[in-house]
């Protein structure tokens, strides 16, 4: 476990960073913290684009981990390629053991409808856990105001991997609002996934994402109709902080 992951140090860092700008936190993570192997996890949503832009201004070749599940919207994949070319990104596509076809053959068609947790486990959690073993820390673009399950998100925490490895997790924009994220994109004239213009507010895999309606939670379009708000990659931290109810249909994302 990295020394920065000690409980008393995490408390000090979180107290300090509550008053810092996201840019300052990103600079600390990539330049001042002594963390050599740091990656960003991103699905190329609006806040993720902002975080990637901040990070590449400090470390242009920072690895961007993208979970290529095989179920993404065509618009998401096209936008990912556009931003990669625009910013010269170092994107690493993470894939699971099953292609869409092999998964259907092994578990039956449309697994995401019958067992969304297993589908996320196969296509997100397992390949992501495997990738993180090669890093000392990872950054995400989670915002506290995006949904009730994320309202207690710390800026710095620990991630316990299945391999019994502990690495640092950093959420530089945890206390940003949705408006802050879009203001950043406008300030730096950065593009966004065109699905936002069609009414999507949080964009994941196509079969498990719908548009949101007025008055709905920002992530209401994810796994609509299920007691599930996260895909699984954040659930270990969430459960530790009592942010997600102990329900078998409610893992993480």
């Amino acid at each position: 476990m990295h020394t920065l992951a000690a409980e008393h140090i995490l408390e000090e860092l979180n107290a300090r960073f509550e008053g810092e700008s996201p840019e300052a936190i990103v600079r600390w993570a990539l330049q001042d913290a002594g963390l050599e192997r740091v990656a960003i996890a991103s699905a190329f949503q609006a806040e993720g684009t902002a975080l990637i832009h901040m990070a590449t201004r400090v470390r242009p070749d920072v690895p961007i981990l993208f979970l290529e599940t095989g179920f993404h919207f065509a618009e998401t994949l096209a936008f990912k390629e556009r931003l990669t070319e625009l910013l010269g990104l170092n994107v690493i596509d993470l894939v699971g053991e099953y292609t869409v076809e092999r998964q259907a053959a092994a578990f039956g068609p449309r697994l995401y409808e019958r067992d969304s947790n297993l589908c996320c486990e196969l296509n997100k959690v397992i390949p992501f856990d495997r990738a993180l073993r090669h890093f000392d820390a990872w950054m995400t673009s989670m915002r506290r105001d995006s949904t009730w399950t994320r309202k207690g998100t710390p800026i710095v925490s620990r991630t316990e991997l299945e391999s019994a490895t502990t690495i640092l997790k950093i959420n530089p924009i945890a206390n940003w609002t949705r408006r802050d994220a879009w203001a950043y994109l406008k300030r730096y004239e950065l593009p966004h996934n065109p699905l936002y213009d069609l009414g999507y507010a949080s964009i994941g895999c196509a079969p498990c994402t719908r548009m949101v309606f007025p008055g709905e939670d920002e992530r209401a379009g994810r796994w609509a109709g299920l007691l599930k708000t996260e895909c699984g990659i954040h659930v270990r931290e969430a459960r530790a902080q009592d942010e997600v109810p102990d329900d078998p249909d409610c893992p993480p994302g």
Side-chain angles (χ1 to χ4, degrees):
M1 181 173 71
H2 197 283
T3 55
L4 289 175
E7 193 63 39
H8 70 286
I9 295 180
L10 290 179
E11 291 178 3
E12 293 173 1
L13 289 173
N14 277 301
R16 167 187 164 187
F17 289 149
E18 280 298 327
E20 294 276 7
S21 68
E23 291 90 341
I25 299 169
V26 169
R27 193 176 308 111
W28 170 82
L30 295 177
Q31 189 171 279
D32 306 324
L35 297 166
E36 295 184 10
R37 304 178 301 166
V38 183
I40 295 175
S42 183
F44 290 83
Q45 298 195 63
E47 44 280 288
T49 297
L51 177 60
I52 287 171
H53 181 260
M54 291 178 205
T56 53
R57 298 177 82 190
V58 178
R59 190 183 293 182
D61 64 345
V62 60
I64 313 298
L65 306 181
F66 177 77
L67 284 161
E68 177 46 280
T69 64
F71 296 104
H72 284 292
F73 289 96
E75 290 88 344
T76 297
L77 298 177
F79 176 70
K80 171 198 158 196
E81 293 305 316
R82 178 185 177 190
L83 195 68
T84 296
E85 183 175 346
L86 178 67
L87 300 181
L89 302 179
N90 174 23
V91 178
I92 300 174
D93 289 333
L94 307 181
V95 296
E97 297 296 327
Y98 297 89
T99 62
V100 173
E101 295 75 17
R102 288 186 59 211
Q103 177 173 300
F107 300 95
R110 307 171 78 88
L111 178 64
Y112 43 80
E113 291 182 351
R114 294 177 289 103
D115 192 339
S116 60
N117 289 344
L118 178 57
C119 191
C120 285
E121 182 77 12
L122 296 172
N123 294 293
K124 294 185 176 183
V125 179
I126 293 175
F128 193 68
D129 185 279
R130 186 167 58 231
L132 285 187
R133 298 173 196 175
H134 302 288
F135 296 96
D136 303 310
W138 63 299
M139 287 194 283
T140 84
S141 53
M142 292 176 68
R143 297 184 353 258
R144 293 169 182 158
D145 77 327
S146 64
T147 184
W148 68 273
T149 61
R150 296 183 173 186
K151 67 182 185 300
T153 299
I155 294 175
V156 186
S157 61
R158 292 189 297 260
T159 292
E160 307 287 341
L161 305 179
E162 295 298 332
S163 57
T165 303
T166 300
I167 69 172
L168 213 61
K169 180 181 180 184
I170 305 160
N171 302 296
I173 64 170
N175 55 18
W176 257 13
T177 63
R178 181 178 177 83
R179 178 174 295 182
D180 291 328
W182 284 93
Y184 186 96
L185 298 191
K186 183 177 181 179
R187 184 184 320 138
Y188 291 100
E189 300 182 333
L190 295 168
H192 60 267
N193 189 324
L195 290 173
Y196 286 114
D197 301 327
L198 299 178
Y200 291 87
S202 179
I203 304 166
C205 292
C208 301
T209 305
R210 65 161 173 78
M211 303 175 196
V212 296
F213 300 106
E216 282 190 318
D217 183 281
E218 183 178 324
R219 287 176 63 85
R222 305 289 293 275
W223 305 286
L226 299 178
L227 292 175
K228 177 181 174 77
T229 59
E230 302 283 354
C231 74
I233 66 174
H234 300 298
V235 74
R236 283 161 289 200
E237 294 87 351
R239 289 198 186 284
Q241 296 157 28
D242 294 322
E243 293 172 16
V244 178
D246 189 13
D247 187 296
D249 290 322
C250 196

